[in-house]
Amino acid sequence: MLRGMKSANGIPVNQVLVGDCVSLMDSSLPMGSVDMVFADPPYNLQLGGGLLRPNNTEVDGVDDAWDQFESFRSYDDFTRLWLTAARRVLKPEGSLWVIGSYHNIFRVGTILQDLGFWILNDIVWRKTNPMPNFRGRRFTNAHETLIWCSTSKDARYRFNYEAMKGLNEDVQMRSDWLFPLCTGPERVKVDGRKAHPTQKPEALLHRIILASTDTNALVLDPFFGSGTTGAVARRLGRRYIGIERDPEYAEIARNRIAAVTPIADERLVETPQKRDEPRIPFGWLVERGVLAVGDVLVDQRRRYAARVRADGTLATAEFRGSIHQVGAQVQGAPACNGWQFWCKEVKGHLVPIDVFRQQIRTELN
């Protein structure tokens, strides 16, 4: 069941499909058509009866039929089927995220590797407000695990490293993430009760989608639930496809996504990568007069110095070469990023030459 129109190539973009995810991936999505898959599959929690709080009230947990499997073997068979279908629709440079708990994530990880996926990271989502262990016989289960993988070891997957640093006050993003459970106004409810028992926080999906896609990318969620992936994708200027077997959840997701207002200025949600930027040779700074022949460049601690040559190289008393080669040579190092290492003194302040490169790049854009 589809709602809306298909794109020119027949892909049901920005739609929620109702039915079995394996069948719909196989029948509705062409091979290599999706940029990213985010999957929140059944966890196979193996719950034996209801869970009660100390005051004898019932915990509103997951006891739905879709989370129940006859055995580990049947769960593994199910996992292998949907991962195989997801692998087929992923572009070679696409990536897949799957989230789970200790009940299932290790089994999922094994099958991912068996199918040829290459695991890039496991991410620990630490919950600031986890549900306590009411029986007091185990540690409080305060985290879930995400596996991020590419389609193969050599795949050129996308990772928006600078965007992740930007989210983390210009410090490299770590693999342990701290988010609260989905509560408050964000929690979708029907008649005062949770619309879906395992709704994920939008902040979690914001980070995932921003990390591994660019604007207009196509994100597939084969276990769509209440539509968090679609809502965040729409807000970030990405396209989505949701697959959900329960028609009621699908309708909840459609209504939720319809209420999202996309960002009007796409530049605000772009995630350009440095390798996508135009290459600016050091010699261009010399040709354009940003640096003059004979200018002296120094490192930030003024330990080393080199002079700018007309051909876009640097020279010391003993050595001549590129900004990177000379930077490595003066330090006795195997390599050096000359753009960050060398500086020019401007009005008493040392300015990395990368600043001048960025100025030229801005002019080109």
Side-chain angles (χ1 to χ4, degrees):
M1 172 182 169
L2 306 185
R3 176 174 291 193
M5 297 181 62
K6 291 187 178 181
S7 62
N9 55 3
I11 302 174
V13 173
N14 295 339
Q15 296 180 41
V16 183
L17 318 186
V18 177
D20 175 74
C21 68
V22 175
S23 298
L24 285 170
M25 280 190 276
D26 288 343
S27 64
S28 302
L29 302 181
M31 178 182 295
S33 57
V34 171
D35 295 288
M36 192 195 93
V37 173
F38 172 79
D40 184 7
Y43 285 10
N44 191 24
L45 294 178
Q46 308 133 50
L47 296 178
L51 182 60
L52 300 178
R53 297 183 178 89
N55 63 4
N56 215 37
T57 58
E58 186 175 2
V59 176
D60 187 10
V62 182
D63 56 3
D64 304 75
W66 50 258
D67 192 61
Q68 296 171 10
F69 294 82
E70 294 179 358
S71 63
F72 288 130
R73 178 185 287 269
S74 64
Y75 185 80
D76 292 349
D77 290 343
F78 160 78
T79 301
R80 190 170 288 104
L81 283 172
W82 77 258
L83 281 174
T84 299
R87 183 175 176 81
R88 186 188 69 82
V89 301
L90 264 177
K91 294 178 180 179
E93 66 276 15
S95 63
L96 178 143
W97 293 78
V98 59
I99 188 170
S101 69
Y102 68 89
H103 301 89
N104 72 324
I105 198 65
F106 304 109
R107 309 188 77 84
V108 172
T110 297
I111 295 170
L112 280 167
Q113 291 179 318
D114 288 345
L115 293 176
F117 286 97
W118 186 257
I119 294 178
L120 302 167
N121 278 113
D122 68 318
I123 307 291
V124 174
W125 166 29
R126 285 183 53 218
K127 303 172 184 178
T128 59
N129 53 344
M131 183 183 296
N133 186 270
F134 293 112
R135 293 172 180 164
R137 301 186 63 184
R138 302 186 186 184
F139 297 106
T140 295
N141 186 28
H143 77 278
E144 293 184 31
T145 301
L146 296 116
I147 298 176
W148 177 41
C149 52
S150 60
T151 57
S152 69
K153 181 179 179 181
D154 300 319
R156 289 179 60 83
Y157 59 91
R158 187 177 188 94
F159 177 46
N160 297 318
Y161 173 76
E162 296 298 329
M164 292 298 98
K165 284 185 66 178
L167 284 181
N168 201 36
E169 296 188 336
D170 209 32
V171 176
Q172 189 175 82
M173 184 72 76
R174 291 162 47 115
S175 63
D176 52 337
W177 298 353
L178 188 65
F179 292 111
L181 288 168
C182 184
T183 57
E186 184 185 328
R187 170 65 78 170
V188 180
K189 294 185 178 181
V190 175
D191 298 328
R193 293 179 61 86
K194 296 177 184 177
H196 195 284
T198 63
Q199 180 183 338
K200 296 301 184 286
E202 291 191 6
L204 183 69
L205 269 298
H206 181 106
R207 185 172 296 183
I208 289 169
I209 291 173
L210 199 68
S212 46
T213 67
D214 197 5
T215 49
N216 208 41
L218 182 56
V219 178
L220 167 66
D221 185 336
F223 306 98
F224 207 51
S226 60
T228 302
T229 302
V232 175
R234 179 173 166 83
R235 188 172 292 116
L236 291 177
R238 276 70 169 169
R239 301 172 298 155
Y240 70 89
I241 299 173
I243 301 178
E244 174 51 51
R245 65 187 300 173
D246 187 317
E248 292 185 9
Y249 287 155
E251 192 61 25
I252 289 168
R254 291 191 188 105
N255 293 334
R256 178 184 179 186
I257 295 168
V260 173
T261 302
I263 299 297
D265 188 348
E266 191 174 273
R267 292 172 299 177
L268 298 177
V269 291
E270 287 178 344
T271 46
Q273 295 180 302
K274 284 191 173 181
R275 69 186 183 194
D276 296 332
E277 296 175 340
R279 181 175 177 271
I280 309 295
F282 176 71
W284 287 18
L285 275 65
V286 182
E287 290 175 333
R288 287 163 169 74
V290 177
L291 296 177
V293 176
D295 274 353
V296 176
L297 304 183
V298 297
D299 68 291
Q300 294 188 5
R301 294 171 59 184
R302 298 181 186 272
R303 297 167 299 172
Y304 311 109
R307 302 185 71 188
V308 176
R309 289 173 45 86
D311 61 1
T313 60
L314 298 183
T316 65
E318 302 85 14
F319 189 79
R320 177 169 64 89
S322 71
I323 57 173
H324 313 296
Q325 292 169 334
V326 175
Q329 195 272 337
V330 297
Q331 298 177 89
C336 172
N337 182 343
W339 290 108
Q340 299 292 337
F341 181 75
W342 294 111
C343 303
K344 178 184 177 181
E345 185 169 331
V346 179
K347 296 181 180 180
H349 300 281
L350 293 181
V351 179
I353 59 174
D354 191 45
V355 172
F356 307 123
R357 176 172 66 162
Q358 295 302 330
Q359 291 173 355
I360 293 179
R361 184 170 281 142
T362 301
E363 292 170 3
L364 293 176
N365 292 333

